[in-house]
Amino acid sequence: MAGLGRGRGRGKGYMSFSIEAVGIGKGENLPPSILQPTPLFPPMEHKPVPLVMGEEAEYMLALKQEFRGNMKTLPFYVRPAVSKKDVERYSDKYQNSEPSDNTLEWNPDWKRLPKELRIRVKKPLKENTSLSVDTPVDPKPSKKTRVDKEEIIHKLEVGITLEKKEEEVTSDEEEGEKKKQEEEQQDGEEEYDEEEFEEETDYIMSYFDNGEEFGGDSDDNMDEAIY
Amino acid sequence: MTAQEVRLCGLLLQEHFGEVVERIGTHLLRGGAQNLRTIANETNTPLDLVKKSLCVLVQHGACEFGSGRRGPGSPVEYRASCERVLRVLRYPRYIYTAKTLYGDTGELIVEEVLQRGHMTMSNTVKTVADRLTHNMEEGRSMEYSEVVSAFSKLVETHFLQRCPPVAEMGTAATSTNPATPGTPAASASTAPPTAESNPDCYKLPHVTLIGRGKRRRSSDDSEEQRGGKKAKMDSESCGDEGIYWQVNFERFHQHFRDQAIISAVASKLDQTSSEIVRTMLRMSEVTTTQTAAYTQPLSANEIFRSLPPNYSISRPILDQYLSLLVDDPMEFVGKSGDSGGGMYVISKEPWPTWRELHWSLWYRRGWCVCQSWFGSRSARIFRLLLRKRHLEQKQVEDFAMIPAKEAKDMLYTLLSENLVQLQEIPKTPDHAPSRTFYLYTVNQLPTARLLLQHCYKTVANLIERRLFETKENKRLLEKSQRIEAILASLQASGAEPEQLTEVEEMITAPERQQLEALRHHINKLDSTENQVDETVFLLESYIFSTKTK
């Protein structure tokens, strides 16, 4: 810009250009130089122009506020899942109200998105269906420590019914909520996890006899009498 | 991307999509193209949330993805678009324009498409029909065909366009799926395809949608709401899968510019001439491409035939008006031939008229700014400098008729705010200060940019203030919402008036006053944002027009 160098420390009155040209008369008092940043709310010398009011402006205002309100209810408003409270509550198992991180509440057209963004959603399990864990990125099955919410077939035999819950699978390992995931085989052979049973139900497992062992011995040696 | 722009974008993303998307979005805006892992690591966000946010951003067109820098083998990179996010500020204006042009149906169509980013035609029609039915009286419902006709009109006039086809990419992440070899075009071109490059951009798909809107019963309300809001795909396919429609912002901008021209003509000349110009513009709406210098030449005969019926002016008078428009120094209309009773064009591009018009619209804004910041006399100086381009100190005082001392003061204030600049012209080769001219001038383009940044800062401040006010009074707002909900449920179940008044009295009178004041403030802040956006549009438009010469 032009020669407005204020004498860079050479003291007032000596400038690199003739100050008469710019219009400052001799001996005139220049305003003092400011040595601090401008105030946050400087006083306004002139009142601002009033807002345009009218039907159009009001309608647009209403449109805007309505739009914002609608956006908050749409699934595009991403809310991170709230982490579990300190103590795990009994009712947590039966309440699945909060959306978890690895779900997408709407169905985008996956063909228009790169593959790596895909978050798979599983349908509820049916009996004797195999769970094919489809991991596009990581073919290794991921055993994570998560709370079990899956229906296990042989629990039905034992007479305990659990509710079917939807299970979602991420395509990559994640921290975040703790959910346990187990893979199921076709023929339904699962690990019989007694400790898990004891956590899940109200009944003390050791008192309960599921009757499996009842007829088991009858296969060998039918000649002996059974008392 | 300036700091102010990024800040404003962040606030807009936060308001519409939540804080997570805001964090990812701002990170992308600041950092340029990045891949998924980098984003997740640098923002310390769980990968799933990052994926969700990116899906949301891509859905709304705010983010694009492409193969990485190192070629097709590297991970996918994502790029956010600042300009696209800033458009969110203008959504109410788009919706309102659709309403003025195509009625309530058009308004709802545009609103739905803006809310969802992009939608198929069948989905849009169904949702809009349901919404319209909901607002109608009992027993009446909206026919799909009416909605379809409004949709077609929007597409024909190019307000809606098909989304550009997505380039196929082989992702590097999967080792099991090798990149498909049959996509030579996509891997060769690095630029993402635009909507206009698709020849079928404005072609409607062949679907027959027959039906009526469904009315939401109060008993099914929650279920339908979930169905409607979550945009579940219907089990029956309508034959237009994969064809998504988005709003064509450029077309809306063209419309706004046309409106600006018409109102400028109306204020300079009179109503009838503005009607003539409006007719000319409407006739050439779709035939002129956006970057054309002039509209197609229109003969006076055509114009005469296309005038709206309530403006019945005779042919010779029309000719007089046209010659008036041509002779006007603003050069709104140019004459390009004599066949058919005279061929007339409207110049739409930077040189000469459009730029002049832009410039004049812009300088009015600058002048208004000047006036509101510094008073009307500074504004007078500003206007003078714009008109006369370069003036010396002494000349400024003379022309503006302001005493020397005050003129000096004002000039220096304007100078310190960078609205005017000082230009040196040396008389002698040694640039001696005593023999140099110092001229005051206004550099239009940098000043326009400065004003634009000020506007962005203003809007960001407005939004922040509004959020602050809302947060301060959160408790009160929540209480009033709860009470309204209670009242609504009581009324629905048929309560006594005493019960209603009892519930209403739970809000005390001072609280009511506070609420009222709060609502007033928030409305004012919102309304101001809308109006600043008008200036933003004008300035952006001007700056853009200087780039494409």
Side-chain angles (χ1 to χ4, degrees):
Chain A
M1 203 137 346
L4 275 182
R6 292 250 179 264
R8 288 181 211 273
R10 277 173 268 179
K12 183 180 163 183
Y14 178 71
M15 281 165 226
S16 57
F17 58 95
S18 154
I19 51 180
E20 274 95 20
V22 193
I24 307 172
K26 244 194 186 140
E28 242 181 79
N29 288 328
L30 296 167
S33 42
I34 300 174
L35 295 164
Q36 56 189 337
T38 47
L40 198 54
F41 291 108
M44 286 202 311
E45 287 154 7
H46 306 271
K47 273 185 89 84
V49 181
L51 280 182
V52 173
M53 278 302 166
E55 211 182 286
E56 188 179 318
E58 281 178 22
Y59 193 78
M60 294 229 288
L61 173 68
L63 274 177
K64 181 175 186 163
Q65 291 179 332
E66 207 184 290
F67 192 87
R68 248 205 326 262
N70 284 342
M71 286 303 280
K72 290 208 158 68
T73 60
L74 283 177
F76 304 118
Y77 198 90
V78 174
R79 290 187 177 87
V82 180
S83 56
K84 288 250 167 50
K85 300 178 279 284
D86 41 346
V87 178
E88 192 184 303
R89 310 267 168 199
Y90 176 76
S91 56
D92 279 350
K93 206 169 58 173
Y94 298 97
Q95 278 173 7
N96 196 13
S97 50
E98 307 248 344
S100 46
D101 273 354
N102 47 11
T103 58
L104 209 55
E105 286 96 26
W106 46 289
N107 287 330
D109 187 2
W110 292 112
K111 296 191 212 94
R112 293 182 67 89
L113 291 168
K115 289 202 179 73
E116 61 181 8
L117 287 186
R118 181 130 191 194
I119 300 174
R120 303 281 180 127
V121 178
K122 284 292 172 195
K123 295 220 170 56
L125 293 174
K126 297 200 174 93
E127 287 187 29
N128 290 329
T129 37
S130 65
L131 247 193
S132 52
V133 180
D134 211 62
T135 55
V137 179
D138 204 352
K140 296 198 296 291
S142 32
K143 293 252 192 251
K144 302 150 211 154
T145 50
R146 294 164 162 213
V147 170
D148 186 11
K149 286 194 166 94
E150 199 178 278
E151 179 187 53
I152 303 179
I153 293 177
H154 79 269
K155 280 191 184 180
L156 281 176
E157 296 173 11
V158 184
I160 301 166
T161 52
L162 297 173
E163 291 158 70
K164 279 187 188 177
K165 299 254 164 82
E166 273 185 62
E167 186 211 47
E168 282 118 22
V169 174
T170 56
S171 55
D172 210 335
E173 297 192 6
E174 255 339 278
E175 43 182 348
E177 309 114 86
K178 319 282 180 203
K179 279 192 204 156
K180 207 188 314 185
Q181 183 209 340
E182 283 182 327
E183 286 184 47
E184 236 185 358
Q185 302 301 316
Q186 175 101 44
D187 46 8
E189 289 276 359
E190 282 95 54
E191 301 164 9
Y192 185 92
D193 199 352
E194 186 155 353
E195 289 158 41
E196 184 187 295
F197 271 6
E198 284 179 343
E199 273 174 30
E200 293 282 354
T201 62
D202 285 325
Y203 307 108
I204 304 174
M205 281 316 296
S206 52
Y207 288 167
F208 189 82
D209 178 14
N210 57 12
E212 268 185 345
E213 287 114 31
F214 180 70
D217 296 345
S218 57
D219 288 335
D220 358 307
N221 220 343
M222 290 301 288
D223 300 340
E224 281 183 31
I226 298 168
Y227 299 105
Chain B
M1 237 104 34
T2 66
Q4 295 301 336
E5 286 175 14
V6 174
R7 180 175 160 228
L8 180 54
C9 287
L11 285 167
L12 288 170
L13 285 174
Q14 185 186 340
E15 285 224 293
H16 290 91
F17 301 113
E19 284 186 4
V20 184
V21 178
E22 185 255 323
R23 214 181 324 149
I24 311 284
T26 355
H27 186 80
L28 274 175
L29 284 168
R30 286 209 183 99
Q34 290 164 62
N35 61 19
L36 186 59
R37 281 279 165 193
T38 323
I39 302 173
N41 289 339
E42 288 180 13
T43 54
N44 284 329
T45 324
L47 200 63
D48 277 324
L49 280 179
V50 178
K51 285 187 198 173
K52 254 190 185 176
S53 319
L54 286 172
C55 284
V56 170
L57 286 171
V58 173
Q59 169 83 13
H60 282 84
C63 172
E64 283 166 351
F65 56 91
S67 48
R69 272 164 278 196
R70 279 170 276 156
S74 58
V76 177
E77 284 193 343
Y78 301 92
R79 232 165 292 122
S81 158
C82 184
E83 198 186 306
R84 174 65 182 85
V85 179
L86 288 175
R87 297 276 165 270
V88 174
L89 205 52
R90 213 165 288 150
Y91 280 3
R93 201 167 170 197
Y94 298 139
I95 302 175
Y96 183 71
T97 310
K99 184 189 171 87
T100 52
L101 292 174
Y102 297 110
D104 282 339
T105 323
E107 176 195 1
L108 284 183
I109 293 177
V110 171
E111 192 180 341
E112 281 295 318
V113 177
L114 282 174
Q115 273 182 354
R116 305 287 161 104
H118 53 74
M119 284 175 90
T120 58
M121 176 166 147
S122 41
N123 239 351
T124 320
V125 168
K126 284 181 197 144
T127 325
V128 171
D130 288 344
R131 272 181 79 174
L132 283 168
T133 310
H134 186 70
N135 292 334
M136 284 167 136
E137 312 131 12
E138 279 292 332
R140 295 188 51 208
S141 61
M142 190 67 170
E143 277 272 354
Y144 280 1
S145 56
E146 283 181 50
V147 185
V148 168
S149 75
F151 195 95
S152 343
K153 272 187 246 162
L154 280 165
V155 172
E156 273 159 22
T157 44
H158 293 203
F159 282 107
L160 288 176
Q161 65 186 178
R162 286 204 198 188
C163 291
V166 175
E168 262 296 332
M169 295 179 312
T171 55
T174 47
S175 50
T176 48
N177 304 349
T180 50
T183 53
S187 46
S189 66
T190 42
T194 59
E196 296 280 329
S197 58
N198 181 3
D200 290 336
C201 189
Y202 299 112
K203 209 164 76 167
L204 283 168
H206 296 294
V207 280
T208 40
L209 289 163
I210 303 172
R212 312 184 74 92
K214 294 182 213 14
R215 181 177 296 281
R216 265 196 252 153
R217 305 269 157 228
S218 47
S219 52
D220 302 336
D221 218 354
S222 53
E223 203 181 280
E224 300 253 13
Q225 221 162 20
R226 241 182 289 134
K229 295 283 188 205
K230 303 210 175 175
K232 270 206 281 259
M233 291 297 212
D234 271 17
S235 47
E236 353 120 20
S237 59
C238 288
D240 69 340
E241 269 77 40
I243 305 177
Y244 294 96
W245 298 87
Q246 64 187 17
V247 171
N248 183 2
F249 295 119
E250 275 313 309
R251 177 68 183 88
F252 273 104
H253 294 166
Q254 192 186 339
H255 181 87
F256 297 154
R257 282 195 283 265
D258 292 347
Q259 276 186 325
I261 296 182
I262 293 169
S263 60
V265 172
S267 60
K268 189 127 195 260
L269 300 174
D270 77 336
Q271 185 71 14
T272 318
S273 28
S274 79
E275 277 304 317
I276 296 175
V277 175
R278 190 202 297 268
T279 315
M280 287 176 77
L281 282 170
R282 205 183 321 132
M283 286 163 66
S284 53
E285 242 171 22
V286 201
T287 52
T288 353
T289 59
Q290 278 152 31
T291 50
Y294 293 88
T295 61
Q296 301 289 349
L298 304 162
S299 72
N301 294 334
E302 285 172 7
I303 301 175
F304 184 64
R305 264 175 282 148
S306 317
L307 276 178
N310 44 349
Y311 268 92
S312 54
I313 53 180
S314 61
R315 187 53 203 277
I317 299 192
L318 171 70
D319 286 335
Q320 279 182 350
Y321 267 114
L322 283 170
S323 54
L324 200 63
L325 283 166
V326 167
D327 290 334
D328 191 275
M330 290 290 270
E331 290 177 38
F332 293 113
V333 177
K335 190 152 184 187
S336 83
D338 279 316
S339 62
M343 305 290 281
Y344 297 91
V345 295
I346 300 187
S347 161
K348 281 174 136 343
E349 240 276 316
W351 295 105
T353 298
W354 188 225
R355 186 135 188 253
E356 290 298 312
L357 179 67
H358 252 141
W359 182 83
S360 74
L361 288 169
W362 165 80
Y363 104 74
R364 283 207 65 163
R365 293 288 161 158
W367 177 79
C368 288
V369 164
C370 222
Q371 181 179 35
S372 34
W373 286 1
F374 307 116
S376 56
R377 292 205 280 182
S378 298
R380 207 189 308 164
I381 295 181
F382 184 74
R383 195 169 176 177
L384 188 65
L385 280 170
L386 275 171
R387 193 151 279 186
K388 302 269 182 183
R389 310 293 168 120
H390 295 274
L391 283 177
E392 272 189 343
Q393 164 90 35
K394 192 88 184 28
Q395 290 171 309
V396 170
E397 289 163 20
D398 292 338
F399 281 123
M401 296 180 285
I402 298 177
K405 205 180 258 191
E406 288 176 29
K408 254 183 283 171
D409 217 15
M410 288 176 198
L411 273 171
Y412 300 149
T413 331
L414 286 175
L415 194 61
S416 64
E417 295 289 335
N418 266 323
L419 284 170
V420 306
Q421 283 86 34
L422 204 54
Q423 168 92 36
E424 279 185 20
I425 300 186
K427 288 188 229 181
T428 56
D430 62 354
H431 289 253
S434 56
R435 293 187 288 274
T436 317
F437 286 119
Y438 291 97
L439 300 174
Y440 287 95
T441 182
V442 176
N443 280 341
Q444 293 167 23
L445 192 53
T447 315
R449 281 192 211 270
L450 170 80
L451 285 177
L452 185 59
Q453 293 304 315
H454 274 299
C455 285
Y456 288 144
K457 187 172 178 184
T458 311
V459 182
N461 285 350
L462 286 167
I463 298 181
E464 285 216 19
R465 180 70 199 194
R466 181 161 46 83
L467 291 174
F468 171 77
E469 293 268 332
T470 318
K471 203 159 67 155
E472 283 278 293
N473 296 293
K474 195 167 150 189
R475 188 199 71 88
L476 193 57
L477 279 170
E478 275 175 7
K479 179 175 175 185
S480 87
Q481 272 171 359
R482 268 204 312 267
I483 295 198
E484 272 172 34
I486 297 176
L487 272 175
S489 65
L490 275 182
Q491 270 175 347
S493 57
E496 314 265 324
E498 291 89 33
Q499 282 178 308
L500 292 175
T501 40
E502 205 181 297
V503 172
E504 271 171 20
E505 274 164 23
M506 282 164 64
I507 304 187
T508 63
E511 280 183 342
R512 224 179 269 278
Q513 264 181 345
Q514 207 180 340
L515 265 177
E516 206 34 63
L518 176 68
R519 279 205 188 109
H520 180 74
H521 287 153
I522 292 187
N523 283 351
K524 213 164 182 182
L525 290 167
D526 257 331
S527 199
T528 317
E529 283 170 36
N530 282 344
Q531 285 176 29
V532 178
D533 179 65
E534 285 179 29
T535 311
V536 167
F537 170 68
L538 220 51
L539 290 169
E540 278 180 356
S541 196
Y542 172 70
I543 293 175
F544 182 73
S545 76
T546 56
K547 282 191 207 156
T548 57
K549 250 185 255 183

